[in-house]
Amino acid sequence: MSRRTRTKLKKLVKRILYILSVILLLVLLFFVMKRSYTQSQERQEKNREIIEKESIGDLEESYENGDLDSQEDIEKESSSDKEQRDKEEFSSEEEQDSTETGSDSGETTGVTPSPSGEPEDEQDSESTEASASLTDKENSTLLVLNGTGKAGVAAYWKEQLEEDGYVNVIPATYNLPVEEKTVIYTEEPEKAQALLEQFPNADFSEGKIQSGIEPAEGYPVPEECEIYIVIGQQDARSE
């Protein structure tokens, strides 16, 4: 065996011995820690037993000296407390039932419920608004102007508005440029609010249109109109 080979073997043996010593050290450390933990647990268990014995001894001493109530007295107090709680729960349930009965009869809020479940004043308000809207539709004259360049648009919206309750709807042609959106001209904006149902993206403008109007055949343009609707490209429908 050459000298070089022997040197390599010595180095290998040293490494193996080093690794074995490290492993042995770790094993010893593990057992030491485990034993220490076990001893700690045993000490805690002993301390717990000592404390329990001392507590039991104190209770027995107090009972012998008359500091603690007898078992019979404890049971009586427990029974009395239970009866008191039952009475309180019963009284609470009666108050709750009484409150619910008063609420159902309308005495709590002071408002008499209607058959539909809504207060009568809210129903009256909604009914008044609906009546006012219907009156505006019946009494307003609408001039629908088609300037989109597409035939039949004014006639289409005349039909839609009449189905919505408007009575006086007149179609006509508009000879001036129109916007992308529909524009509603009126001097009474409150009458035109309902038109948002048909034209949700429309713009409002205060005033009247006095030029660029060409009457449709069979529909003369009246001298006075409450609302002028210039149909925009977005609403250019004919069917």
Side-chain angles (χ1 to χ4, degrees):
M1 184 180 296
S2 65
R3 184 177 180 180
R4 187 174 182 180
T5 304
R6 286 197 301 272
T7 303
K8 288 183 178 180
L9 285 173
K10 286 181 181 180
K11 289 183 179 179
L12 180 60
V13 170
K14 286 182 180 180
R15 289 180 182 175
I16 293 172
L17 290 174
Y18 176 76
I19 293 171
L20 289 174
S21 62
V22 171
I23 293 173
L24 181 60
L25 181 62
L26 291 174
V27 171
L28 290 173
L29 183 61
F30 171 76
F31 280 108
V32 170
M33 292 178 65
K34 183 177 181 181
R35 181 165 180 77
S36 176
Y37 176 77
T38 304
Q39 289 176 349
S40 175
Q41 290 293 105
E42 290 176 353
R43 283 196 300 270
Q44 290 181 2
E45 187 66 27
K46 288 181 180 179
N47 291 335
R48 197 176 298 116
E49 290 177 358
I50 292 171
I51 293 172
E52 289 178 355
K53 289 180 180 179
E54 290 178 351
S55 299
I56 293 172
D58 292 339
L59 288 172
E60 291 177 351
E61 184 179 353
S62 298
Y63 186 79
E64 290 174 358
N65 295 333
D67 294 338
L68 294 178
D69 296 333
S70 65
Q71 183 68 22
E72 185 178 354
D73 293 337
I74 293 173
E75 291 178 355
K76 287 182 179 179
E77 289 183 1
S78 176
S79 176
S80 177
D81 292 340
K82 185 178 180 181
E83 290 178 359
Q84 182 66 23
R85 285 195 300 270
D86 292 341
K87 289 180 181 179
E88 290 177 356
E89 291 177 359
F90 182 73
S91 300
S92 176
E93 290 177 357
E94 285 186 341
E95 291 178 0
Q96 185 176 359
D97 292 340
S98 176
T99 302
E100 291 177 354
T101 303
S103 175
D104 293 339
S105 62
E107 294 176 359
T108 302
T109 59
V111 178
T112 303
S114 65
S116 62
E118 296 181 357
E120 290 184 354
D121 54 351
E122 291 185 7
Q123 285 192 335
D124 293 341
S125 176
E126 293 176 358
S127 176
T128 302
E129 291 177 1
S131 299
S133 176
L134 183 60
T135 302
D136 290 339
K137 291 180 179 181
E138 291 177 349
N139 297 334
S140 299
T141 300
L142 280 65
L143 187 61
V144 182
L145 301 172
N146 175 22
T148 64
K150 184 177 180 179
V153 174
Y156 168 82
W157 283 111
K158 168 182 166 62
E159 181 179 351
Q160 296 298 315
L161 292 167
E162 287 177 344
E163 289 180 359
D164 194 33
Y166 289 92
V167 177
N168 303 313
V169 184
I170 301 167
T173 301
Y174 191 56
N175 294 324
L176 298 177
V178 298
E179 303 290 339
E180 185 68 21
K181 293 183 179 181
T182 296
V183 182
I184 300 173
Y185 294 84
T186 181
E187 293 181 343
E188 301 176 81
E190 65 279 358
K191 289 187 176 182
Q193 290 299 318
L195 290 169
L196 288 174
E197 297 177 5
Q198 299 286 351
F199 306 100
N201 299 320
D203 291 330
F204 284 87
S205 182
E206 188 172 350
K208 298 181 178 181
I209 296 179
Q210 298 179 347
S211 60
I213 301 174
E214 180 181 336
E217 185 177 354
Y219 295 97
V221 177
E223 294 182 1
E224 293 292 334
C225 289
E226 283 80 10
I227 301 173
Y228 300 79
I229 304 174
V230 180
I231 304 298
Q233 297 294 344
Q234 289 183 352
D235 297 314
R237 300 176 225 165
S238 59
E239 60 181 21

